C-alpha cells in the first residue's frame, strides 16, 4: 500500500480536535446572563444551604458552629417532623387522586360537547380559579368554611337540619377541607391538560370500536385512558411534587403551629417555623434536604413503576 494512502487513513482515524470558533464564543456570551443567574440564584443557595445544614446557627446568620450530622439527627428524632410528613402525604395523596380523577372526568365531559363555542366557555369557566392567587383562594374558602352558621356551607347544612361543622377548626375535617380547597384551585389547569390530550386521540380508534360494538364507557376505559397514560404519569409526578411543597394554604389557615392540633403542619411549614420562628437555620436547612431526598425518591419510584408497567405491556 502506498505511503500516501497510509497517511490519508491515519489522518481520518485521528481527526483534529475541534476548537472553539468565534460563533461558539458569541453563543456562550449570550448565554452568560442566564448561566450567571442560575449560578447565583440556584446553585449557590443550594450549596450554601447544604453547608449550613451541618452547622448550629443562631438567627439568620450563615456562620455557625460545625456540628456534623447533628441537625439531621435532631430532625429525624423530632416527632413534629414525622407528623408534618404524615400530614403532607395525607393531603397530597388525596389531592392527587381526587384532583386527577375529577379533572379527567370533567375534561371528558367538556370534550364531548358538540358546540365549539360552548366548549370554550366551559374551558374558561373552569380555568378561572387557576389564575386566582392562593392567598385569595384561601380567604374565599375561609368565609365559605366558617365554623359557625355565618359560613355558606354551614348555612346550607342548617337548611338540611345538620349542625355546623368546623371545617378548618376541627382536627377531623381540617386536612380534608384543605384538600377540597386545593382541588378547586387546581381543577382548571388539570382539565385543560387532559382536554389537550383527549383531542390528540385518533378518531379512527373510536370508529373501529363502534364497529366492534363497544359502548362509550368501554371506549373510555380501553381507548381513552390507555392512550392518555403519559399524561396521567405527568400529572401524578407533578401533582406529587407540588403536594410535597404545600405551604401557603396551611400557613394562612393554621398559622405557624399548623392548627388545629398540628393537623395542618406540613413539611415546608415545619421548615419555615424552624427557620424564621425558632431562628434555627441549620435545622431548617437539614429538614429541607431531607424533604428533597423524599421528593426525589418519590419521583424516581413513580417513574420506575411506570417503566415496569411499560415492560409488562
Amino acid at each position: 500500500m502506498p505511503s500516501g494512502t497510509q497517511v490519508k487513513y491515519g489522518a481520518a482515524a485521528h481527526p483534529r480536535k475541534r476548537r472553539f470558533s468565534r460563533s461558539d464564543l458569541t453563543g456562550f456570551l449570550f448565554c452568560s446572563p442566564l448561566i450567571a443567574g442560575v449560578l447565583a440564584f440556584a446553585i449557590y443557595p443550594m450549596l450554601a444551604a447544604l453547608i449550613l445544614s451541618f452547622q448550629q446557627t443562631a438567627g439568620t446568620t450563615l456562620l455557625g458552629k460545625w456540628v456534623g450530622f447533628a441537625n439531621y439527627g435532631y430532625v429525624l428524632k423530632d416527632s413534629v417532623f414525622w407528623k408534618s410528613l404524615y400530614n403532607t402525604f395525607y393531603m397530597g395523596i388525596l389531592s392527587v387522586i381526587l384532583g386527577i380523577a375529577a379533572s379527567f372526568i370533567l375534561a371528558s365531559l367538556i370534550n364531548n360537547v358538540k358546540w365549539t363555542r360552548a366548549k370554550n366557555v366551559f374551558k374558561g369557566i373552569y380555568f378561572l380559579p387557576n389564575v386566582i392567587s392562593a392567598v385569595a383562594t384561601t380567604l374565599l374558602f375561609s368565609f365559605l368554611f366558617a365554623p359557625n352558621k355565618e359560613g355558606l356551607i354551614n348555612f346550607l347544612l342548617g337548611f338540611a337540619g345538620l349542625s355546623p361543622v368546623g371545617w378548618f377548626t376541627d382536627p377531623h375535617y381540617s386536612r380534608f377541607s384543605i384538600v377540597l380547597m386545593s382541588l378547586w384551585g387546581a381543577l382548571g389547569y388539570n382539565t385543560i391538560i387532559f382536554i389537550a390530550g383527549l383531542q390528540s386521540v385518533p378518531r379512527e380508534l373510536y370508529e373501529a370500536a363502534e364497529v366492534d360494538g363497544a359502548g362509550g364507557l368501554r371506549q373510555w376505559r380501553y381507548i381513552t385512558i390507555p392512550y392518555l397514560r403519559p399524561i396521567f404519569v405527568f400529572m401524578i409526578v407533578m401533582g406529587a411534587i407540588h403536594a410535597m411543597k404545600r405551604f401557603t394554604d396551611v400557613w394562612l389557615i393554621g398559622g405557624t403551629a399548623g392548627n388545629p392540633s398540628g393537623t395542618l403542619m406540613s413539611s415546608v411549614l415545619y421548615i419555615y417555623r424552624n427557620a424564621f420562628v425558632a431562628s434555627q437555620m441549620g435545622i431548617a436547612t437539614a429538614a429541607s434536604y431531607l424533604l428533597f431526598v423524599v421528593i426525589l425518591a418519590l419521583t424516581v419510584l413513580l417513574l420506575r413503576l411506570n417503566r415496569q408497567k411499560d415492560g409488562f405491556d
Side-chain angles (χ1 to χ4, degrees):
M1 183 180 294
S3 59
T5 306
Q6 293 179 357
V7 173
K8 182 178 181 180
Y9 284 143
H14 302 283
R16 292 183 178 180
K17 293 183 179 180
R18 184 176 181 274
R19 297 180 179 179
F20 286 108
S21 63
R22 180 174 297 181
S23 60
D24 295 329
L25 295 177
T26 304
F28 280 113
L29 181 62
F30 279 106
C31 293
S32 58
L34 178 61
I35 296 175
V38 172
L39 291 175
F41 301 108
I43 304 300
Y44 169 73
M46 291 177 61
L47 295 177
L50 180 62
I51 297 174
L52 192 61
S53 66
F54 296 102
Q55 299 178 359
Q56 181 181 5
T57 60
T60 58
T61 178
L62 296 180
L63 298 176
K65 178 182 177 182
W66 186 269
V67 293
F69 289 93
N71 290 331
Y72 291 91
Y74 174 85
V75 173
L76 292 175
K77 294 178 182 178
D78 190 1
S79 60
V80 179
F81 171 76
W82 291 107
K83 186 175 183 179
S84 68
L85 198 60
Y86 169 78
N87 293 333
T88 303
F89 270 99
Y90 181 92
M91 293 183 286
I93 292 174
L94 285 180
S95 299
V96 172
I97 294 177
L98 296 179
I100 291 178
S103 59
F104 178 62
I105 294 174
L106 182 61
S108 300
L109 294 175
I110 295 177
N111 190 58
N112 288 329
V113 175
K114 302 300 181 182
W115 193 23
T116 305
R117 183 170 298 179
K119 186 184 298 185
N120 294 332
V121 170
F122 284 123
K123 290 180 184 179
I125 292 175
Y126 285 106
F127 189 76
L128 185 61
N130 191 71
V131 301
I132 301 176
S133 67
V135 176
T137 301
T138 304
L139 292 177
L140 173 63
F141 274 81
S142 65
F143 289 110
L144 292 177
F145 287 161
N148 47 34
K149 292 185 178 180
E150 295 178 356
L152 179 60
I153 305 300
N154 284 329
F155 179 77
L156 296 177
L157 292 177
F159 277 109
L162 301 176
S163 58
V165 177
W167 298 100
F168 288 137
T169 58
D170 191 333
H172 297 91
Y173 299 101
S174 58
R175 288 175 296 203
F176 187 71
S177 301
I178 292 291
V179 171
L180 292 178
M181 181 174 64
S182 63
L183 179 64
W184 181 82
L187 186 64
Y189 174 80
N190 297 341
T191 301
I192 295 299
I193 298 297
F194 276 121
I195 289 177
L198 289 170
Q199 293 176 350
S200 66
V201 180
R203 183 61 190 170
E204 294 79 7
L205 297 178
Y206 295 112
E207 294 174 353
E210 291 177 359
V211 172
D212 293 337
L217 289 178
R218 297 189 65 182
Q219 295 178 22
W220 194 52
R221 177 181 177 184
Y222 294 105
I223 297 178
T224 306
I225 294 179
Y227 198 89
L228 296 183
R229 183 179 161 190
I231 296 181
F232 277 105
V233 173
F234 169 77
M235 300 297 291
I236 291 174
V237 172
M238 297 305 297
I241 294 175
H242 179 74
M244 294 300 296
K245 299 188 296 181
R246 183 184 301 275
F247 172 74
T248 304
D249 47 6
V250 293
W251 177 63
L252 290 173
I253 296 296
T256 56
N259 290 321
S261 302
T263 55
L264 298 184
M265 174 64 68
S266 66
S267 298
V268 178
L269 184 57
Y270 174 84
I271 296 170
Y272 174 86
R273 189 174 72 167
N274 279 282
F276 301 106
V277 177
S279 298
Q280 296 291 335
M281 296 297 295
I283 295 176
T285 52
S288 300
Y289 267 92
L290 290 175
L291 180 61
F292 165 74
V293 172
V294 171
I295 295 176
L296 179 62
L298 181 61
T299 304
V300 172
L301 176 62
L302 292 173
L303 294 178
R304 286 182 65 88
L305 290 176
N306 180 59
R307 287 184 179 181
Q308 291 180 1
K309 185 64 170 57
D310 287 336
F312 293 147
D313 292 342

